[in-house]
Amino acid sequence: SSCWLVHSSIVGRRPKFEEMAGVLPPGWGAYQDDEGRTYYANPETGETSWEPPAPPPSDLPDGWTAHQDPETGRTFYANVATGESSWEPPVVADAPPPAPGPPPEPEKPPGRWSVDFTYTIGPEGNEGIFDGKVQLLDRHVYNSVSAAVNNLNDGLIVVPEGYCVVFSGSKQNYYLLWREDKEAEVFSLLGLSDQ
C-alpha cells in the first residue's frame, strides 16, 4: 500500500533517475529530497510518494502485477502463476485463433443420380462400347449400381462429365449411369438409343 503525500516544495526539481521516465506512469518523476532520499511526484496533480507509483493494473495482462524494486525503485512485473518476471511491461498476448470448424461438406454435383438413370451395357467383353469415352469406376471399390448412385449423390464420387460406368459384381454386367441432365449427351456419345 502506498502512502500519498502532497508537498508544494517538490515542484520544479529534476528527476534523479532518467530511466524512470519510461517506467513511471505519465506525469510522474523521481526526485531527491535534501537528505538524498528518492521520492516520486506528479507535479500536475501534486501527488507524492516514497514508493514509486505502479502503472494502472488495467494495462497488464491477466495474472501480472507491478512491483517496485526496493534497491533501485524500478518497476518490475511478475506473474505469480507462471513464476515469470520482467523489467519490461508484459504485452497482452493475442487471442488464440478460433478452433477450426467442422470440415466442409463434400461437394454435391449438380443434378441427381438415380438407379432409374442406368443402361445395361452387358457382361465383360463389351468394354469397347465405352472404353476411352466414359469413365469406368474402379471395379474393386465400386461393384454395386445402388452404392455407386448413393456415393455420386453424396459427392463422395465426383464425375464432372455427369456419366460413368460401373461393373455390378452381383449381376456380372457393366451399367452406364448418368446424372438426370446428361442422358441425351451420353447416349449420343456412345451411339445408343433410348428405347
Side-chain angles (χ1 to χ4, degrees), residues 115-186:
V115 292
D116 295 331
F117 307 142
T118 60
Y119 177 91
T120 305
I121 295 174
E124 290 179 309
N126 285 292
E127 294 85 1
I129 295 172
F130 60 85
D131 195 29
K133 299 176 190 170
V134 177
Q135 175 185 350
L136 170 64
L137 299 181
D138 186 339
R139 292 175 61 157
H140 303 290
V141 178
Y142 306 103
N143 57 13
S144 160
V145 171
S146 60
V149 166
N150 288 337
N151 286 325
L152 286 160
N153 280 323
D154 290 342
L156 300 174
I157 303 173
V158 177
V159 180
E161 300 81 15
Y163 40 82
C164 61
V165 173
V166 65
F167 185 80
S168 169
S170 63
K171 304 284 186 195
Q172 293 294 300
N173 275 322
Y174 288 104
Y175 288 86
L176 175 65
L177 284 65
W178 63 88
R179 203 172 55 215
E180 64 186 335
D181 58 329
K182 295 293 186 169
E183 181 177 1
E185 183 180 331
V186 72

Side-chain angles (χ1 to χ4, degrees), residues 49-68:
S49 172
W50 292 109
E51 298 294 322
S58 62
D59 293 344
L60 299 174
D62 288 343
W64 286 88
T65 54
H67 304 274
Q68 302 304 320

Side-chain angles (χ1 to χ4, degrees), residues 50-94:
W50 292 109
E51 298 294 322
S58 62
D59 293 344
L60 299 174
D62 288 343
W64 286 88
T65 54
H67 304 274
Q68 302 304 320
D69 181 334
E71 292 181 22
T72 65
R74 286 182 64 194
T75 301
F76 69 95
Y77 305 89
N79 186 323
V80 177
T82 65
E84 294 176 86
S85 64
S86 171
W87 290 110
E88 298 298 319
V91 177
V92 176
D94 290 336

Side-chain angles (χ1 to χ4, degrees), residues 13-18 20 28-32:
R13 294 196 185 170
R14 299 188 60 89
K16 177 181 177 189
F17 301 110
E18 299 299 328
M20 294 304 288
W28 284 88
Y31 302 87
Q32 275 191 331

